[in-house]
Amino acid sequence: MHISEGILTAPVLTGGAVLTTVGTAIGLKKLDYDRIMTVSLLSATFFVASLIHVPIGPGSVHLLLGGLLGLILGWGAFPAIVVALSLQAIFFQYGGMLVLGVNGTIIAGPAVLCGLLFHPLLTGTRKKQMTAGFLAGFCAMFLSAVLMAGALYLSDSGFLRVAGLVLASHFPVMLIEGVITMFVVSFLARVQPEILSLTP
Amino acid sequence: MIDEPFATGSTLFHKRDPKIKIIGTTAISMVLALCTSIPVAATGCIITAILLSFSRPNFKLLSRRLIQVNIFTLFIWITLPLTYGKGETIQLSFLNIHLDGIRMAALISLKTNGILFCFLALLATSSTSSLGHGLEKLGVPRKLSFLFLFTYRQLFVIHQEYLRLQRAAKLRGFTPNNSLHTYQTYSHLFGMTLVKSWNRGERIHQAMILRGFNGRLIPLTQPQPGKADYYFLFVMLLISLFLAGLSFVSVSQ
Amino acid sequence: MNTNPPLLELRNLTYSYPGQKGSLLQNINFTISKERIGFIGPNGSGKTTLFQIIMGLLQVDEGEILLHGTTIETDKDLFTLRKKLGFLFQNSDDQLFSPTVLEDVAFGPLNHGATPAEARNISIQTLEKLGLKGFEDRITHRLSGGEKKLVALATILSMKPEMLLLDEPSNNLDPATRERLIKILRSQDLPHIIISHDLDFLASTCAQLYTIQDQQLIRCKAKQIHSHEHIHPYGDQPHQHGT
Amino acid sequence: MNTNPPLLELRNLTYSYPGQKGSLLQNINFTISKERIGFIGPNGSGKTTLFQIIMGLLQVDEGEILLHGTTIETDKDLFTLRKKLGFLFQNSDDQLFSPTVLEDVAFGPLNHGATPAEARNISIQTLEKLGLKGFEDRITHRLSGGEKKLVALATILSMKPEMLLLDEPSNNLDPATRERLIKILRSQDLPHIIISHDLDFLASTCAQLYTIQDQQLIRCKAKQIHSHEHIHPYGDQPHQHGT
Ligand SMILES: Nc1ncnc2c1ncn2[C@@H]1O[C@H](COP(=O)(O)OP(=O)(O)OP(=O)(O)O)[C@@H](O)[C@H]1O
Ligand SMILES: Nc1ncnc2c1ncn2[C@@H]1O[C@H](COP(=O)(O)OP(=O)(O)OP(=O)(O)O)[C@@H](O)[C@H]1O
Ligand SMILES: [Mg+2]
Ligand SMILES: [Mg+2]
């Protein structure tokens, strides 16, 4: 789930950069220094998720878990994800600095949106919690794929069919993200509900 | 797995100030990213390859990195010639190959690799922590560079923690397959890592408070860029200008 | 071929960590069938490394590992070996990852083909045997250090291993839990290898001692009686001695 | 009021964790001025908790803490107390958070008003004193366990504390680093309180021992010479005794 630098046009790159800057700024504003260490650790954990390969069908995919981070951190997920992405860029050269804006919007935007949207469900029964987890994971990934396809299409309408391909190929990933997020939410709710801002 | 294999070395590139290198990378990769002509992209790719060779990267590691990134390019080469453009096509048995698509795929490959070379030559030759400090000096908000530096510091600890749990699962006969049990196990491994991270965050926060931290991160002064750094910056900007000029000429033709 | 090959045999094992000059372990030969063995030796001599090699977590440079006379080669052999040898980590926090105790203890049996109902039964029995009845639904992460150690032991015993490898099991245990562990290990009818710096613990649980010296695994002279005196202030407090 | 109040005084401290029934610590009274004191006692008796209370990380239910005769009340008092008492955590990974060693050691001085240049000098000196010269630009997470412990100590010493609180400092150290730490602690002209289960370590670094029994902090009988004999097989191997 990364777009590399050579594909997008200036308007799309600029648009992504602006959106990511705004999102990060809001996230940072809502984040006081008392929480910054926790957010750093979660950001690092998010990075580690991208090193976990989960089998699906004959192949495997690596996790993203943006929706989960959104549930835990709300707006704080935005800077956390941007930092993790920039570290990935440095370590693995998956997409450079210029596309950081676009990649940030693609991944962190849906993560925050889904986190805020589904968090209220977490206060409900176990079943509701798991539903919230699944939806957050699935929808965040779905929206990310839509945004990615959109960024490609906006750059060059000739990419239309490729964009469709990207969207379709991410469908299994959405399911995996949903299922894993569901189980992790259920794990956290039992083991340490404070992480989800729930009272034990 | 997480490592900075290119950051050690003592070449001209390793010695440059990280701020300068960040500016240089941004300038060159911006010109490359926005260019639309194959000759310009090819020229850029050659120049950045030369830059990269000056930083003397480990060849084996370099080729591995190149292969990783070019798996994506391969995807482009498979899809674009079949889907991109309306112009001439070549009939290859039952496939319609679009020439526009091939042109586009070539352009993207050149740009992607050019930017990658530039990145490896300039940024990968600095340690991540010095880049973090460099970002702060360049006006990135302090909270963000703070987050960046601490996240970097914790990556290794957390990754190790995850790997140890994964090992425990393996020893108890866990063999990943397409099953709900597999997904649940990964969730538990990750969930436990998350719980540990959360609690560690709390303890580290205490450690910071005990050392007088009150919400303001005071940087320890970093070395200032010297004359050589400014010359270096000048050359990098010159390269970007040259490429930008070439683009301009090729567009107006 | 032997009519009765040993449970575990190490032949000419040599190992060095990548990038290390010189071997950490050289030409290790060792067999165990029914014995209860202790490994003692200075920090960094390679005891934990040897356990990791046996469990197939590290690849040896040379030599082979045999289980019941069969060399471990394929992934399937390794899977079997990991079922038959139960490895207790030095740090229980690295070993427990399920939300509740029961889920953690049932994890091994489930992976080795037990049905959920069977796994549950085995787990409950194992917990009972270790005096952990009623712990089934406790959150593993919130247990005390000693309780975690015993639950970690349960996660291994539920796989019905034929032998135990225990890495410093008595570390950070308070005296009561330590005694309980000794009792449990004695009542198990299983051979084991225990790494420990705690000689009293080894004396109560093992019949033979080995040590690692000059990259070699050496058997200590049997039952050499040793006596020394020590004098210090505050000896009336429960205490332990450094290496 | 005393003409010379003690460096640190605890008066009638009572503490229980939220949601716990009964107090963990009850009516603790304690003073220290120049002494070198060891805390020993069973797991879970509240030793680490007591350190956290002293450092103002946990709020007591009752009682007060006095530094040089002044009760700690305001945030400013607390800030001063945290500078004057250096607390070494049990786990160094929880204490080191900067990418490089120098940044970590300079963190305290910078927060306490040193200029970057001063902080850098103090840090370099502190590192030198601990035999860590040349470690300035090392990446903290790549250090070995023993090196991390010494760097963690440096991060505290660079704040020029008047007293040290050390939580199980000798844990997981190899014998050489352990000896080095003993030498360092002896050469420091600072009072300290050390929590440890390792009596030899305490004997080499402390002159008095306290223990926690029945929620109370009790001073052990001074210099009671204790002698016992032990006999066991394999005593020729380096070893330690369990609690
Ligand atoms: N992953 C690794 N890479 C390189 N060297 C390692 C690694 N793990 C351990 N070592 C080194 O190998 C040596 C043996 O380590 P090992 O953990 O096996 O010792 P040990 O005998 O178990 O010691 P202890 O009594 O302290 O547990 C040590 O010097 C250690 O530093
Ligand atoms: N955050 C917490 N919430 C509730 N109980 C806690 C918490 N931290 C510790 N405890 C409990 O308080 C008791 C004292 O813990 P503490 O860590 O102070 O013991 P200790 O004497 O340092 O033991 P050890 O020798 O094992 O380090 C233990 O029973 C522990 O389970
Ligand atoms: Mg070991
Ligand atoms: Mg403690």
Side-chain angles (χ1 to χ4, degrees):
Chain A
M1 169 76 35
H2 291 273
I3 302 188
S4 94
E5 219 135 26
I7 297 185
L8 302 175
T9 53
V12 177
L13 286 173
T14 316
V18 170
L19 287 176
T20 292
T21 309
V22 173
T24 309
I26 298 175
L28 285 178
K29 191 129 197 233
K30 298 202 175 222
L31 184 71
D32 59 17
Y33 275 99
D34 278 347
R35 290 243 293 153
I36 204 150
M37 210 58 233
T38 311
V39 177
S40 302
L41 276 136
L42 291 181
S43 175
T45 315
F46 177 79
F47 184 109
V48 168
S50 73
L51 301 173
I52 303 177
H53 285 262
V54 179
I56 178 162
S60 73
V61 294
H62 73 78
L63 296 176
L64 199 64
L65 301 184
L68 178 66
L69 210 59
L71 282 177
I72 298 175
L73 289 176
W75 274 103
F78 217 113
I81 289 174
V82 167
V83 163
L85 289 176
S86 52
L87 283 167
Q88 276 175 356
I90 289 176
F91 283 117
F92 308 125
Q93 284 87 43
Y94 289 161
M97 290 187 304
L98 295 179
V99 279
L100 193 58
V102 174
N103 283 331
T105 309
I106 288 177
I107 296 172
V112 171
L113 184 72
C114 293
L116 295 177
L117 205 62
F118 296 116
H119 192 276
L121 279 181
L122 288 179
T123 44
T125 57
R126 179 94 182 276
K127 216 169 183 177
K128 254 189 177 167
Q129 287 174 339
M130 293 182 75
T131 314
F134 181 83
L135 288 176
F138 182 90
C139 296
M141 196 64 196
F142 172 73
L143 290 178
S144 292
V146 169
L147 285 180
M148 183 162 165
L152 287 173
Y153 177 71
L154 284 177
S155 271
D156 187 332
S157 52
F159 288 143
L160 178 61
R161 285 163 71 188
V162 173
L165 215 58
V166 163
L167 198 55
S169 68
H170 275 84
F171 189 71
V173 190
M174 294 169 206
L175 278 179
I176 285 287
E177 286 275 322
V179 172
I180 299 257
T181 308
M182 173 180 83
F183 282 133
V184 177
V185 163
S186 146
F187 181 95
L188 294 177
R190 283 192 281 167
V191 173
Q192 200 161 345
E194 304 96 279
I195 299 182
L196 295 168
S197 322
L198 302 173
T199 44
Chain B
M1 199 157 180
I2 318 171
D3 217 345
E4 302 164 86
F6 301 103
T8 46
S10 57
T11 67
L12 179 86
F13 280 68
H14 289 90
K15 285 188 201 136
R16 296 289 68 82
D17 185 278
K19 274 181 307 220
I20 301 287
K21 293 204 267 190
I22 294 173
I23 300 173
T25 317
T26 315
I28 295 179
S29 44
M30 185 146 23
V31 176
L32 270 179
L34 299 181
C35 92
T36 49
S37 97
I38 291 186
V40 179
T43 315
C45 204
I46 291 168
I47 294 178
T48 51
I50 294 171
L51 291 181
L52 179 59
S53 72
F54 283 138
S55 79
R56 301 209 190 152
N58 175 322
F59 189 74
K60 224 170 111 190
L61 286 170
L62 177 66
S63 17
R64 203 182 306 155
R65 203 47 68 85
L66 287 182
I67 289 169
Q68 268 168 19
V69 172
N70 279 295
I71 288 174
F72 166 79
T73 324
L74 194 67
F75 169 76
I76 295 285
W77 276 99
I78 293 170
T79 51
L80 283 189
L82 296 178
T83 63
Y84 184 88
K86 302 188 185 65
E88 322 157 44
T89 59
I90 310 170
Q91 196 71 32
L92 211 90
S93 70
F94 62 95
L95 293 175
N96 260 335
I97 307 287
H98 296 256
L99 284 185
D100 276 350
I102 293 184
R103 238 173 264 136
M104 194 61 182
L107 179 66
I108 289 174
S109 312
L110 285 171
K111 284 158 70 166
T112 302
N113 282 292
I115 293 169
L116 174 65
F117 294 158
C118 171
F119 206 95
L120 287 174
L122 295 178
L123 291 192
T125 49
S126 283
S127 73
T128 305
S129 69
S130 68
L131 288 176
H133 289 296
L135 284 175
E136 184 179 353
K137 288 265 181 54
L138 289 172
V140 165
R142 180 159 292 174
K143 257 191 211 165
L144 194 60
S145 62
F146 202 13
L147 208 56
F148 180 91
L149 287 171
F150 289 150
T151 302
Y152 162 72
R153 167 68 178 87
Q154 297 308 329
L155 277 184
F156 307 88
V157 178
I158 293 179
H159 190 221
Q160 291 303 320
E161 221 146 52
Y162 175 78
L163 290 179
R164 286 198 298 267
L165 289 177
Q166 197 188 36
R167 191 178 68 181
K170 199 161 89 179
L171 287 183
R172 285 199 254 153
F174 175 58
T175 13
N177 53 24
N178 287 296
S179 71
L180 223 50
H181 172 69
T182 296
Y183 301 141
Q184 189 172 34
T185 303
Y186 275 112
S187 307
H188 289 172
L189 294 173
F190 185 75
M192 190 55 100
T193 311
L194 212 87
V195 166
K196 288 181 175 181
S197 309
W198 182 271
N199 294 316
R200 188 183 289 279
E202 205 100 306
R203 293 193 298 269
I204 295 177
H205 180 65
Q206 288 189 340
M208 295 174 75
I209 287 181
L210 291 183
R211 285 202 254 153
F213 179 71
N214 53 10
R216 218 163 46 93
L217 187 71
I218 307 164
L220 195 60
T221 41
Q222 291 298 111
Q224 287 301 311
K227 234 187 201 159
D229 290 312
Y230 288 113
Y231 288 137
F232 185 83
L233 180 60
F234 181 70
V235 173
M236 292 305 124
L237 292 180
L238 217 58
I239 292 174
S240 334
L241 275 179
F242 169 70
L243 289 175
L246 265 188
S247 303
F248 189 72
V249 171
S250 71
V251 168
S252 54
Q253 268 172 0
Chain C
M1 186 153 279
N2 261 350
T3 44
N4 227 352
L7 173 52
L8 178 74
E9 181 173 356
L10 311 180
R11 278 199 200 147
N12 294 317
L13 291 191
T14 295
Y15 183 79
S16 54
Y17 277 105
Q20 216 177 25
K21 29 184 185 311
S23 310
L24 180 64
L25 298 169
Q26 191 137 34
N27 236 331
I28 303 276
N29 285 291
F30 176 77
T31 47
I32 178 170
S33 281
K34 295 205 156 77
E35 296 91 335
R36 296 175 163 211
I37 289 178
F39 280 5
I40 195 166
N43 294 106
S45 57
K47 304 180 295 298
T48 300
T49 306
L50 185 56
F51 272 14
Q52 291 178 336
I53 291 171
I54 294 177
M55 298 306 294
L57 296 169
L58 297 172
Q59 297 304 309
V60 285
D61 303 335
E62 270 170 58
E64 44 187 345
I65 297 169
L66 294 90
L67 189 76
H68 289 304
T70 320
T71 309
I72 301 299
E73 284 168 330
T74 64
D75 278 356
K76 206 165 149 267
D77 295 341
L78 207 55
F79 186 76
T80 315
L81 175 132
R82 287 174 178 166
K83 180 182 177 330
K84 299 205 168 165
L85 309 185
F87 180 15
L88 189 74
F89 291 10
Q90 186 164 344
N91 185 350
S92 308
D93 273 326
D94 292 340
Q95 194 148 22
L96 301 174
F97 50 80
S98 301
T100 64
V101 170
L102 188 67
E103 281 169 276
D104 230 327
V105 180
F107 185 79
L110 281 174
N111 285 322
H112 283 100
T115 66
E118 284 164 9
R120 163 180 278 272
N121 278 340
I122 297 171
S123 307
I124 291 179
Q125 278 166 23
T126 312
L127 286 171
E128 241 169 67
K129 216 166 55 181
L130 297 186
L132 295 173
K133 201 177 166 171
F135 272 62
E136 290 81 2
D137 294 325
R138 294 275 292 273
I139 304 292
T140 43
H141 179 67
R142 299 212 197 112
L143 299 175
S144 80
E147 291 165 346
K148 277 185 190 163
K149 184 67 82 186
L150 292 178
V151 170
L153 186 60
T155 65
I156 285 162
L157 290 178
S158 66
M159 288 163 69
K160 312 227 176 277
E162 298 180 7
M163 184 169 97
L164 299 177
L165 302 177
L166 313 173
D167 197 352
E168 313 209 13
S170 68
N171 254 12
N172 299 322
L173 292 188
D174 60 66
T177 316
R178 185 172 169 279
E179 283 310 312
R180 206 160 136 199
L181 185 61
I182 292 178
K183 274 218 194 85
I184 290 169
L185 291 177
R186 286 182 153 179
S187 68
Q188 291 295 324
D189 197 22
L190 285 175
H192 60 222
I193 309 178
I194 300 182
I195 295 179
S196 182
H197 295 284
D198 176 348
L199 196 51
D200 290 344
F201 187 84
L202 288 181
S204 354
T205 50
C206 302
Q208 285 176 28
L209 278 193
Y210 281 73
T211 189
I212 295 182
Q213 235 167 47
D214 305 324
Q215 296 92 52
Q216 300 281 336
L217 190 64
I218 296 171
R219 178 150 171 198
C220 307
K221 272 171 277 164
K223 288 286 173 205
Q224 175 217 349
I225 302 296
H226 132 108
S227 135
H228 66 229
E229 233 173 313
H230 50 250
I231 298 180
H232 39 224
Y234 316 109
D236 55 339
Q237 292 308 317
H239 64 273
Q240 63 189 42
H241 295 260
T243 16
Chain D
M1 184 143 292
N2 260 351
T3 45
N4 226 352
L7 172 50
L8 177 73
E9 182 175 354
L10 310 182
R11 277 198 200 148
N12 293 319
L13 291 191
T14 295
Y15 183 79
S16 53
Y17 277 106
Q20 216 176 26
K21 30 186 184 307
S23 310
L24 180 63
L25 299 169
Q26 189 136 38
N27 237 331
I28 303 275
N29 285 290
F30 175 78
T31 49
I32 178 170
S33 280
K34 293 205 157 75
E35 296 91 333
R36 295 175 165 210
I37 289 177
F39 281 4
I40 195 167
N43 295 108
S45 56
K47 305 179 297 295
T48 301
T49 305
L50 185 56
F51 272 13
Q52 289 177 331
I53 292 171
I54 295 176
M55 299 305 292
L57 295 172
L58 295 173
Q59 298 303 310
V60 284
D61 303 335
E62 269 170 60
E64 44 186 346
I65 296 169
L66 294 91
L67 188 75
H68 289 303
T70 319
T71 308
I72 301 300
E73 284 166 331
T74 64
D75 278 355
K76 208 166 149 269
D77 295 342
L78 208 54
F79 187 75
T80 316
L81 174 131
R82 287 172 177 168
K83 182 185 175 329
K84 298 204 169 165
L85 309 185
F87 179 15
L88 189 74
F89 288 18
Q90 187 165 344
N91 184 350
S92 307
D93 268 325
D94 294 341
Q95 192 148 26
L96 301 176
F97 46 80
S98 304
T100 66
V101 170
L102 189 67
E103 284 170 89
D104 229 323
V105 181
F107 186 84
L110 283 173
N111 285 324
H112 283 100
T115 66
E118 285 164 7
R120 170 181 286 270
N121 279 340
I122 297 171
S123 306
I124 291 177
Q125 278 167 22
T126 311
L127 286 171
E128 242 169 67
K129 217 167 51 183
L130 297 185
L132 295 173
K133 200 175 167 172
F135 272 63
E136 290 81 2
D137 293 326
R138 293 276 293 273
I139 307 288
T140 46
H141 66 77
R142 300 235 179 94
L143 301 175
S144 78
E147 290 165 347
K148 277 186 194 163
K149 184 67 83 186
L150 292 176
V151 170
L153 186 60
T155 65
I156 285 162
L157 290 178
S158 67
M159 289 164 68
K160 309 223 176 285
E162 298 180 8
M163 184 168 97
L164 299 178
L165 302 177
L166 313 173
D167 196 353
E168 312 209 15
S170 68
N171 256 13
N172 300 322
L173 293 187
D174 61 73
T177 316
R178 185 170 168 280
E179 283 310 309
R180 206 160 138 200
L181 185 62
I182 291 177
K183 275 218 192 85
I184 291 169
L185 291 176
R186 285 181 153 180
S187 69
Q188 291 294 325
D189 198 21
L190 285 176
H192 61 220
I193 308 177
I194 300 181
I195 294 177
S196 182
H197 295 282
D198 175 348
L199 196 52
D200 289 345
F201 187 84
L202 288 180
S204 352
T205 51
C206 302
Q208 286 175 25
L209 277 195
Y210 282 73
T211 189
I212 295 182
Q213 236 166 45
D214 305 325
Q215 295 91 52
Q216 301 280 336
L217 190 62
I218 296 169
R219 178 150 171 199
C220 306
K221 273 171 276 164
K223 287 287 176 208
Q224 176 220 348
I225 302 298
H226 131 109
S227 134
H228 65 227
E229 229 173 318
H230 48 249
I231 299 181
H232 39 225
Y234 317 109
D236 55 338
Q237 292 307 318
H239 64 273
Q240 63 188 38
H241 294 259
T243 15

